[in-house]
Amino acid sequence: MRQACPTRQLFAAPPPFHTIRNPACSMVQEPRQLNEDLRKAAALWTAQGPRLFLKRGSTEILETELIALMPAGAQALIHDMLALAHRYQALSDTREIRFRLEKINHDSCCRFHVDTVPLRLLCTYTGPGVQWKHNDSETVHETPEGWLTLLKGRLYPGWSADTSVLHRSPPLSGHAKPLTRLLLTLDHPDACGMNRRAPMMDT
């Protein structure tokens, strides 16, 4: 029996990431709640970690460089991000990945769009998650904190605009209190012109 695309409904149990290989499916979401240790670790990185960490590399290289930057007490965040990196790597069948961890406190990417990448994994550890809508709908959905979102981009083999899912960063300027999102983005190693240079960090 053919599995329905999870972008059209929510399942009691999270669908596996490999559902994204269904030609009619452009997005898979995995609902989850962050445990207390992970929440605390994410808050520590948001308070003390660099504003941006951007690196192309294997999970082993990423682990070494992330641990060197890790605020004391943020081990749970490192472990979770590396587990997601392993899952993405297995799904995309790449030896390296493009890893981006960024603190965002402004309106960014406010237009709904499709990324020019093969496959993108997003996880917001603090703050509101990515907003998305179907190409043929004006209904906007906002992803809860901690959920995993896997999106096909324009470079995914067989990608079609007819079944595409558009997404954007949630606007932050309308909130009464200042917000900072901690966003992890995992991509194909060559995404966005990434090369093998040293990690980009912005404190």
Side-chain angles (χ1 to χ4, degrees), residues 65-169:
E65 295 184 354
L66 285 166
I67 287 175
L69 296 170
M70 178 183 68
Q75 292 89 343
L77 177 64
I78 302 296
H79 292 161
D80 191 72
M81 293 191 299
L82 290 172
L84 296 181
H86 279 291
R87 290 181 66 184
Y88 178 89
Q89 189 176 32
L91 183 67
S92 58
D93 194 28
T94 57
R95 191 177 66 84
E96 297 182 335
I97 59 174
R98 179 181 182 268
F99 183 105
R100 182 184 182 101
L101 182 64
E102 184 175 13
K103 295 189 284 191
I104 303 170
N105 58 10
H106 59 280
D107 291 347
S108 173
C109 296
C110 291
R111 291 186 177 182
F112 282 101
H113 65 281
V114 176
D115 295 309
T116 308
V117 298
L119 198 61
R120 174 162 287 180
L121 175 63
L122 299 170
C123 177
T124 304
Y125 286 99
T126 62
V130 63
Q131 292 183 344
W132 61 273
K133 70 184 188 73
H134 293 285
N135 188 41
D136 58 357
S137 172
E138 293 305 314
T139 302
V140 176
H141 307 267
E142 184 163 291
T143 305
E145 181 182 86
W147 282 31
L148 308 179
T149 301
L150 188 66
L151 288 156
K152 282 180 181 173
R154 296 179 185 275
L155 300 184
Y156 191 90
W159 176 84
S160 170
D162 294 337
T163 59
S164 63
V165 171
L166 312 180
H167 69 282
R168 71 177 183 183
S169 297

Side-chain angles (χ1 to χ4, degrees), residues 5-44:
C5 177
T7 59
R8 287 293 182 186
Q9 56 183 316
L10 292 177
F11 294 92
F17 275 179
H18 64 68
T19 307
I20 198 72
R21 292 172 178 157
N22 182 335
C25 187
S26 292
M27 184 180 79
V28 173
Q29 289 199 303
E30 184 174 306
R32 64 175 192 161
Q33 290 187 340
L34 305 182
N35 62 39
E36 190 61 25
D37 286 345
L38 189 47
R39 285 184 181 276
K40 288 180 178 178
L44 280 169

Side-chain angles (χ1 to χ4, degrees), residues 39-64:
R39 285 184 181 276
K40 288 180 178 178
L44 280 169
W45 189 284
T46 302
Q48 302 174 23
R51 187 191 66 81
L52 171 66
F53 174 83
L54 176 59
K55 172 70 179 180
R56 168 182 169 168
S58 66
T59 51
E60 292 78 14
I61 290 174
L62 291 168
E63 180 176 13
T64 299

